[in-house]
PDB file of all heavy atoms in Angstrom:
ATOM      1  N   VAL A  19     -75.097  91.454  15.678  1.00 97.00           N
ATOM      2  CA  VAL A  19     -75.199  92.673  16.494  1.00 97.00           C
ATOM      3  C   VAL A  19     -75.093  93.888  15.573  1.00 97.00           C
ATOM      4  O   VAL A  19     -74.594  93.774  14.448  1.00 97.00           O
ATOM      5  CB  VAL A  19     -74.075  92.747  17.562  1.00 97.00           C
ATOM      6  CG1 VAL A  19     -74.211  91.626  18.581  1.00 97.00           C
ATOM      7  CG2 VAL A  19     -72.690  92.736  16.931  1.00 97.00           C
ATOM      8  N   PRO A  20     -75.542  95.068  16.032  1.00 97.00           N
ATOM      9  CA  PRO A  20     -75.353  96.272  15.223  1.00 97.00           C
ATOM     10  C   PRO A  20     -73.860  96.607  15.115  1.00 97.00           C
ATOM     11  O   PRO A  20     -73.095  96.306  16.043  1.00 97.00           O
ATOM     12  CB  PRO A  20     -76.083  97.366  16.000  1.00 97.00           C
ATOM     13  CG  PRO A  20     -76.832  96.694  17.093  1.00 97.00           C
ATOM     14  CD  PRO A  20     -76.253  95.326  17.275  1.00 97.00           C
ATOM     15  N   PRO A  21     -73.434  97.221  14.007  1.00 97.00           N
ATOM     16  CA  PRO A  21     -72.012  97.526  13.807  1.00 97.00           C
ATOM     17  C   PRO A  21     -71.362  98.296  14.956  1.00 97.00           C
ATOM     18  O   PRO A  21     -70.211  98.023  15.308  1.00 97.00           O
ATOM     19  CB  PRO A  21     -71.999  98.349  12.520  1.00 97.00           C
ATOM     20  CG  PRO A  21     -73.192  97.869  11.765  1.00 97.00           C
ATOM     21  CD  PRO A  21     -74.221  97.573  12.825  1.00 97.00           C
ATOM     22  N   TYR A  22     -72.108  99.240  15.572  1.00 96.00           N
ATOM     23  CA  TYR A  22     -71.501 100.050  16.633  1.00 96.00           C
ATOM     24  C   TYR A  22     -71.124  99.205  17.861  1.00 96.00           C
ATOM     25  O   TYR A  22     -70.289  99.622  18.656  1.00 96.00           O
ATOM     26  CB  TYR A  22     -72.388 101.234  17.034  1.00 96.00           C
ATOM     27  CG  TYR A  22     -73.656 100.849  17.759  1.00 96.00           C
ATOM     28  CD1 TYR A  22     -73.639 100.601  19.134  1.00 96.00           C
ATOM     29  CD2 TYR A  22     -74.856 100.728  17.082  1.00 96.00           C
ATOM     30  CE1 TYR A  22     -74.793 100.230  19.802  1.00 96.00           C
ATOM     31  CE2 TYR A  22     -76.014 100.365  17.745  1.00 96.00           C
ATOM     32  CZ  TYR A  22     -75.979 100.112  19.104  1.00 96.00           C
ATOM     33  OH  TYR A  22     -77.111  99.741  19.763  1.00 96.00           O
ATOM     34  N   VAL A  23     -71.709  98.016  17.994  1.00 96.00           N
ATOM     35  CA  VAL A  23     -71.358  97.129  19.111  1.00 96.00           C
ATOM     36  C   VAL A  23     -69.939  96.575  18.901  1.00 96.00           C
ATOM     37  O   VAL A  23     -69.213  96.352  19.864  1.00 96.00           O
ATOM     38  CB  VAL A  23     -72.388  95.987  19.251  1.00 96.00           C
ATOM     39  CG1 VAL A  23     -71.911  94.927  20.238  1.00 96.00           C
ATOM     40  CG2 VAL A  23     -73.736  96.556  19.695  1.00 96.00           C
ATOM     41  N   ILE A  24     -69.557  96.383  17.641  1.00 97.00           N
ATOM     42  CA  ILE A  24     -68.200  95.927  17.332  1.00 97.00           C
ATOM     43  C   ILE A  24     -67.225  97.059  17.693  1.00 97.00           C
ATOM     44  O   ILE A  24     -66.407  96.902  18.580  1.00 97.00           O
ATOM     45  CB  ILE A  24     -68.053  95.533  15.842  1.00 97.00           C
ATOM     46  CG1 ILE A  24     -69.127  94.526  15.399  1.00 97.00           C
ATOM     47  CG2 ILE A  24     -66.642  95.010  15.560  1.00 97.00           C
ATOM     48  CD1 ILE A  24     -69.059  93.149  16.020  1.00 97.00           C
ATOM     49  N   PHE A  25     -67.313  98.170  16.972  1.00 97.00           N
ATOM     50  CA  PHE A  25     -66.531  99.380  17.280  1.00 97.00           C
ATOM     51  C   PHE A  25     -67.303 100.596  16.790  1.00 97.00           C
ATOM     52  O   PHE A  25     -67.927 100.543  15.736  1.00 97.00           O
ATOM     53  CB  PHE A  25     -65.157  99.372  16.580  1.00 97.00           C
ATOM     54  CG  PHE A  25     -64.171  98.380  17.116  1.00 97.00           C
ATOM     55  CD1 PHE A  25     -63.552  97.472  16.281  1.00 97.00           C
ATOM     56  CD2 PHE A  25     -63.836  98.372  18.469  1.00 97.00           C
ATOM     57  CE1 PHE A  25     -62.635  96.550  16.775  1.00 97.00           C
ATOM     58  CE2 PHE A  25     -62.917  97.447  18.962  1.00 97.00           C
ATOM     59  CZ  PHE A  25     -62.322  96.541  18.118  1.00 97.00           C
ATOM     60  N   HIS A  26     -67.228 101.689  17.545  1.00 97.00           N
ATOM     61  CA  HIS A  26     -67.834 102.953  17.113  1.00 97.00           C
ATOM     62  C   HIS A  26     -67.000 103.577  15.996  1.00 97.00           C
ATOM     63  O   HIS A  26     -65.817 103.256  15.841  1.00 97.00           O
ATOM     64  CB  HIS A  26     -67.910 103.939  18.293  1.00 97.00           C
ATOM     65  CG  HIS A  26     -68.965 103.576  19.290  1.00 97.00           C
ATOM     66  ND1 HIS A  26     -70.294 103.858  19.104  1.00 97.00           N
ATOM     67  CD2 HIS A  26     -68.888 102.944  20.487  1.00 97.00           C
ATOM     68  CE1 HIS A  26     -70.996 103.412  20.135  1.00 97.00           C
ATOM     69  NE2 HIS A  26     -70.160 102.850  20.989  1.00 97.00           N
ATOM     70  N   ASP A  27     -67.609 104.498  15.248  1.00 96.00           N
ATOM     71  CA  ASP A  27     -66.886 105.223  14.199  1.00 96.00           C
ATOM     72  C   ASP A  27     -65.636 105.898  14.744  1.00 96.00           C
ATOM     73  O   ASP A  27     -64.599 105.915  14.083  1.00 96.00           O
ATOM     74  CB  ASP A  27     -67.789 106.293  13.562  1.00 96.00           C
ATOM     75  CG  ASP A  27     -68.680 105.723  12.453  1.00 96.00           C
ATOM     76  OD1 ASP A  27     -68.613 104.512  12.172  1.00 96.00           O
ATOM     77  OD2 ASP A  27     -69.433 106.516  11.858  1.00 96.00           O
ATOM     78  N   ALA A  28     -65.726 106.455  15.940  1.00 95.00           N
ATOM     79  CA  ALA A  28     -64.574 107.157  16.523  1.00 95.00           C
ATOM     80  C   ALA A  28     -63.383 106.208  16.682  1.00 95.00           C
ATOM     81  O   ALA A  28     -62.232 106.600  16.462  1.00 95.00           O
ATOM     82  CB  ALA A  28     -64.946 107.769  17.868  1.00 95.00           C
ATOM     83  N   THR A  29     -63.670 104.960  17.031  1.00 97.00           N
ATOM     84  CA  THR A  29     -62.611 103.956  17.176  1.00 97.00           C
ATOM     85  C   THR A  29     -61.997 103.651  15.814  1.00 97.00           C
ATOM     86  O   THR A  29     -60.777 103.580  15.678  1.00 97.00           O
ATOM     87  CB  THR A  29     -63.180 102.674  17.821  1.00 97.00           C
ATOM     88  OG1 THR A  29     -63.753 103.018  19.090  1.00 97.00           O
ATOM     89  CG2 THR A  29     -62.103 101.620  18.024  1.00 97.00           C
ATOM     90  N   LEU A  30     -62.855 103.508  14.794  1.00 97.00           N
ATOM     91  CA  LEU A  30     -62.344 103.251  13.440  1.00 97.00           C
ATOM     92  C   LEU A  30     -61.515 104.436  12.944  1.00 97.00           C
ATOM     93  O   LEU A  30     -60.484 104.249  12.297  1.00 97.00           O
ATOM     94  CB  LEU A  30     -63.499 102.969  12.471  1.00 97.00           C
ATOM     95  CG  LEU A  30     -64.340 101.719  12.720  1.00 97.00           C
ATOM     96  CD1 LEU A  30     -65.328 101.514  11.577  1.00 97.00           C
ATOM     97  CD2 LEU A  30     -63.486 100.487  12.911  1.00 97.00           C
ATOM     98  N   ARG A  31     -61.964 105.660  13.264  1.00 95.00           N
ATOM     99  CA  ARG A  31     -61.210 106.854  12.845  1.00 95.00           C
ATOM    100  C   ARG A  31     -59.825 106.871  13.476  1.00 95.00           C
ATOM    101  O   ARG A  31     -58.848 107.236  12.830  1.00 95.00           O
ATOM    102  CB  ARG A  31     -61.959 108.131  13.237  1.00 95.00           C
ATOM    103  CG  ARG A  31     -63.079 108.449  12.292  1.00 95.00           C
ATOM    104  CD  ARG A  31     -63.547 109.886  12.462  1.00 95.00           C
ATOM    105  NE  ARG A  31     -64.862 109.988  11.850  1.00 95.00           N
ATOM    106  CZ  ARG A  31     -65.997 109.956  12.534  1.00 95.00           C
ATOM    107  NH1 ARG A  31     -65.997 109.864  13.838  1.00 95.00           N
ATOM    108  NH2 ARG A  31     -67.141 110.040  11.905  1.00 95.00           N
ATOM    109  N   GLN A  32     -59.749 106.474  14.752  1.00 96.00           N
ATOM    110  CA  GLN A  32     -58.445 106.441  15.421  1.00 96.00           C
ATOM    111  C   GLN A  32     -57.558 105.361  14.797  1.00 96.00           C
ATOM    112  O   GLN A  32     -56.364 105.562  14.626  1.00 96.00           O
ATOM    113  CB  GLN A  32     -58.616 106.239  16.926  1.00 96.00           C
ATOM    114  CG  GLN A  32     -57.330 106.518  17.702  1.00 96.00           C
ATOM    115  CD  GLN A  32     -57.491 106.344  19.206  1.00 96.00           C
ATOM    116  OE1 GLN A  32     -58.599 106.233  19.725  1.00 96.00           O
ATOM    117  NE2 GLN A  32     -56.367 106.305  19.898  1.00 96.00           N
ATOM    118  N   MET A  33     -58.142 104.210  14.449  1.00 97.00           N
ATOM    119  CA  MET A  33     -57.376 103.163  13.751  1.00 97.00           C
ATOM    120  C   MET A  33     -56.833 103.719  12.441  1.00 97.00           C
ATOM    121  O   MET A  33     -55.674 103.476  12.082  1.00 97.00           O
ATOM    122  CB  MET A  33     -58.267 101.951  13.445  1.00 97.00           C
ATOM    123  CG  MET A  33     -58.592 101.082  14.620  1.00 97.00           C
ATOM    124  SD  MET A  33     -59.577  99.674  14.025  1.00 97.00           S
ATOM    125  CE  MET A  33     -60.264  99.113  15.575  1.00 97.00           C
ATOM    126  N   LEU A  34     -57.671 104.444  11.732  1.00 96.00           N
ATOM    127  CA  LEU A  34     -57.283 105.027  10.447  1.00 96.00           C
ATOM    128  C   LEU A  34     -56.128 106.007  10.636  1.00 96.00           C
ATOM    129  O   LEU A  34     -55.167 106.003   9.862  1.00 96.00           O
ATOM    130  CB  LEU A  34     -58.497 105.745   9.840  1.00 96.00           C
ATOM    131  CG  LEU A  34     -58.359 106.297   8.431  1.00 96.00           C
ATOM    132  CD1 LEU A  34     -58.164 105.168   7.426  1.00 96.00           C
ATOM    133  CD2 LEU A  34     -59.594 107.112   8.070  1.00 96.00           C
ATOM    134  N   ALA A  35     -56.186 106.807  11.677  1.00 95.00           N
ATOM    135  CA  ALA A  35     -55.165 107.824  11.930  1.00 95.00           C
ATOM    136  C   ALA A  35     -53.852 107.202  12.390  1.00 95.00           C
ATOM    137  O   ALA A  35     -52.772 107.610  11.943  1.00 95.00           O
ATOM    138  CB  ALA A  35     -55.672 108.822  12.974  1.00 95.00           C
ATOM    139  N   GLU A  36     -53.943 106.206  13.269  1.00 96.00           N
ATOM    140  CA  GLU A  36     -52.730 105.668  13.897  1.00 96.00           C
ATOM    141  C   GLU A  36     -52.169 104.432  13.202  1.00 96.00           C
ATOM    142  O   GLU A  36     -51.004 104.096  13.392  1.00 96.00           O
ATOM    143  CB  GLU A  36     -53.001 105.374  15.372  1.00 96.00           C
ATOM    144  CG  GLU A  36     -53.312 106.645  16.148  1.00 96.00           C
ATOM    145  CD  GLU A  36     -53.495 106.405  17.638  1.00 96.00           C
ATOM    146  OE1 GLU A  36     -53.063 105.354  18.140  1.00 96.00           O
ATOM    147  OE2 GLU A  36     -54.076 107.294  18.286  1.00 96.00           O
ATOM    148  N   ARG A  37     -53.014 103.735  12.443  1.00 97.00           N
ATOM    149  CA  ARG A  37     -52.592 102.528  11.714  1.00 97.00           C
ATOM    150  C   ARG A  37     -51.778 101.564  12.575  1.00 97.00           C
ATOM    151  O   ARG A  37     -50.632 101.254  12.258  1.00 97.00           O
ATOM    152  CB  ARG A  37     -51.772 102.896  10.476  1.00 97.00           C
ATOM    153  CG  ARG A  37     -52.452 103.832   9.491  1.00 97.00           C
ATOM    154  CD  ARG A  37     -53.486 103.104   8.646  1.00 97.00           C
ATOM    155  NE  ARG A  37     -54.243 104.050   7.853  1.00 97.00           N
ATOM    156  CZ  ARG A  37     -54.102 104.218   6.539  1.00 97.00           C
ATOM    157  NH1 ARG A  37     -53.242 103.495   5.878  1.00 97.00           N
ATOM    158  NH2 ARG A  37     -54.843 105.090   5.905  1.00 97.00           N
ATOM    159  N   PRO A  38     -52.344 101.087  13.680  1.00 97.00           N
ATOM    160  CA  PRO A  38     -51.594 100.139  14.513  1.00 97.00           C
ATOM    161  C   PRO A  38     -51.222  98.894  13.705  1.00 97.00           C
ATOM    162  O   PRO A  38     -52.007  98.430  12.890  1.00 97.00           O
ATOM    163  CB  PRO A  38     -52.566  99.803  15.642  1.00 97.00           C
ATOM    164  CG  PRO A  38     -53.919 100.114  15.105  1.00 97.00           C
ATOM    165  CD  PRO A  38     -53.727 101.256  14.141  1.00 97.00           C
ATOM    166  N   ALA A  39     -50.013  98.396  13.939  1.00 95.00           N
ATOM    167  CA  ALA A  39     -49.503  97.269  13.153  1.00 95.00           C
ATOM    168  C   ALA A  39     -49.578  95.945  13.903  1.00 95.00           C
ATOM    169  O   ALA A  39     -49.362  94.888  13.327  1.00 95.00           O
ATOM    170  CB  ALA A  39     -48.063  97.549  12.741  1.00 95.00           C
ATOM    171  N   ASP A  40     -49.878  96.007  15.203  1.00 97.00           N
ATOM    172  CA  ASP A  40     -49.908  94.775  15.988  1.00 97.00           C
ATOM    173  C   ASP A  40     -50.951  94.895  17.105  1.00 97.00           C
ATOM    174  O   ASP A  40     -51.586  95.932  17.271  1.00 97.00           O
ATOM    175  CB  ASP A  40     -48.527  94.463  16.563  1.00 97.00           C
ATOM    176  CG  ASP A  40     -47.955  95.627  17.369  1.00 97.00           C
ATOM    177  OD1 ASP A  40     -48.744  96.440  17.923  1.00 97.00           O
ATOM    178  OD2 ASP A  40     -46.723  95.723  17.460  1.00 97.00           O
ATOM    179  N   ARG A  41     -51.094  93.790  17.850  1.00 97.00           N
ATOM    180  CA  ARG A  41     -52.103  93.738  18.911  1.00 97.00           C
ATOM    181  C   ARG A  41     -51.861  94.816  19.976  1.00 97.00           C
ATOM    182  O   ARG A  41     -52.801  95.418  20.466  1.00 97.00           O
ATOM    183  CB  ARG A  41     -52.131  92.345  19.545  1.00 97.00           C
ATOM    184  CG  ARG A  41     -52.672  91.281  18.589  1.00 97.00           C
ATOM    185  CD  ARG A  41     -52.538  89.880  19.157  1.00 97.00           C
ATOM    186  NE  ARG A  41     -53.219  89.705  20.420  1.00 97.00           N
ATOM    187  CZ  ARG A  41     -54.499  89.345  20.556  1.00 97.00           C
ATOM    188  NH1 ARG A  41     -55.227  89.098  19.491  1.00 97.00           N
ATOM    189  NH2 ARG A  41     -55.038  89.201  21.745  1.00 97.00           N
ATOM    190  N   GLU A  42     -50.590  95.053  20.316  1.00 97.00           N
ATOM    191  CA  GLU A  42     -50.258  96.093  21.311  1.00 97.00           C
ATOM    192  C   GLU A  42     -50.743  97.455  20.841  1.00 97.00           C
ATOM    193  O   GLU A  42     -51.335  98.215  21.607  1.00 97.00           O
ATOM    194  CB  GLU A  42     -48.745  96.148  21.557  1.00 97.00           C
ATOM    195  CG  GLU A  42     -48.215  95.134  22.529  1.00 97.00           C
ATOM    196  CD  GLU A  42     -48.923  95.150  23.876  1.00 97.00           C
ATOM    197  OE1 GLU A  42     -48.961  96.212  24.535  1.00 97.00           O
ATOM    198  OE2 GLU A  42     -49.437  94.091  24.268  1.00 97.00           O
ATOM    199  N   GLY A  43     -50.461  97.761  19.583  1.00 97.00           N
ATOM    200  CA  GLY A  43     -50.882  99.037  19.019  1.00 97.00           C
ATOM    201  C   GLY A  43     -52.391  99.172  19.006  1.00 97.00           C
ATOM    202  O   GLY A  43     -52.942 100.232  19.304  1.00 97.00           O
ATOM    203  N   LEU A  44     -53.067  98.094  18.656  1.00 97.00           N
ATOM    204  CA  LEU A  44     -54.527  98.100  18.597  1.00 97.00           C
ATOM    205  C   LEU A  44     -55.114  98.324  19.986  1.00 97.00           C
ATOM    206  O   LEU A  44     -56.112  99.024  20.141  1.00 97.00           O
ATOM    207  CB  LEU A  44     -55.015  96.782  17.995  1.00 97.00           C
ATOM    208  CG  LEU A  44     -56.376  96.781  17.315  1.00 97.00           C
ATOM    209  CD1 LEU A  44     -56.484  97.858  16.256  1.00 97.00           C
ATOM    210  CD2 LEU A  44     -56.659  95.422  16.707  1.00 97.00           C
ATOM    211  N   LEU A  45     -54.471  97.747  20.999  1.00 97.00           N
ATOM    212  CA  LEU A  45     -54.946  97.898  22.366  1.00 97.00           C
ATOM    213  C   LEU A  45     -54.846  99.355  22.829  1.00 97.00           C
ATOM    214  O   LEU A  45     -55.571  99.773  23.725  1.00 97.00           O
ATOM    215  CB  LEU A  45     -54.140  96.979  23.294  1.00 97.00           C
ATOM    216  CG  LEU A  45     -54.780  96.538  24.610  1.00 97.00           C
ATOM    217  CD1 LEU A  45     -56.186  95.995  24.412  1.00 97.00           C
ATOM    218  CD2 LEU A  45     -53.912  95.500  25.284  1.00 97.00           C
ATOM    219  N   GLY A  46     -53.970 100.142  22.193  1.00 97.00           N
ATOM    220  CA  GLY A  46     -53.835 101.549  22.524  1.00 97.00           C
ATOM    221  C   GLY A  46     -54.920 102.430  21.923  1.00 97.00           C
ATOM    222  O   GLY A  46     -54.994 103.620  22.223  1.00 97.00           O
TER     223      GLY A  46
END
């Protein structure tokens, strides 16, 4: 699939900013 189907850049940017450490954090 195209990369954006996995996650959009905005989602990756939020991961980068928040650095979730577990599944709960990632779900946020």
Side-chain angles (χ1 to χ4, degrees):
V19 295
Y22 69 83
V23 170
I24 307 293
F25 289 126
H26 287 280
D27 276 0
T29 302
L30 296 186
R31 281 196 198 100
Q32 193 179 348
M33 285 183 197
L34 186 65
E36 296 184 18
R37 304 283 172 106
D40 54 27
R41 291 173 58 88
E42 278 306 303
L44 205 53
L45 204 50

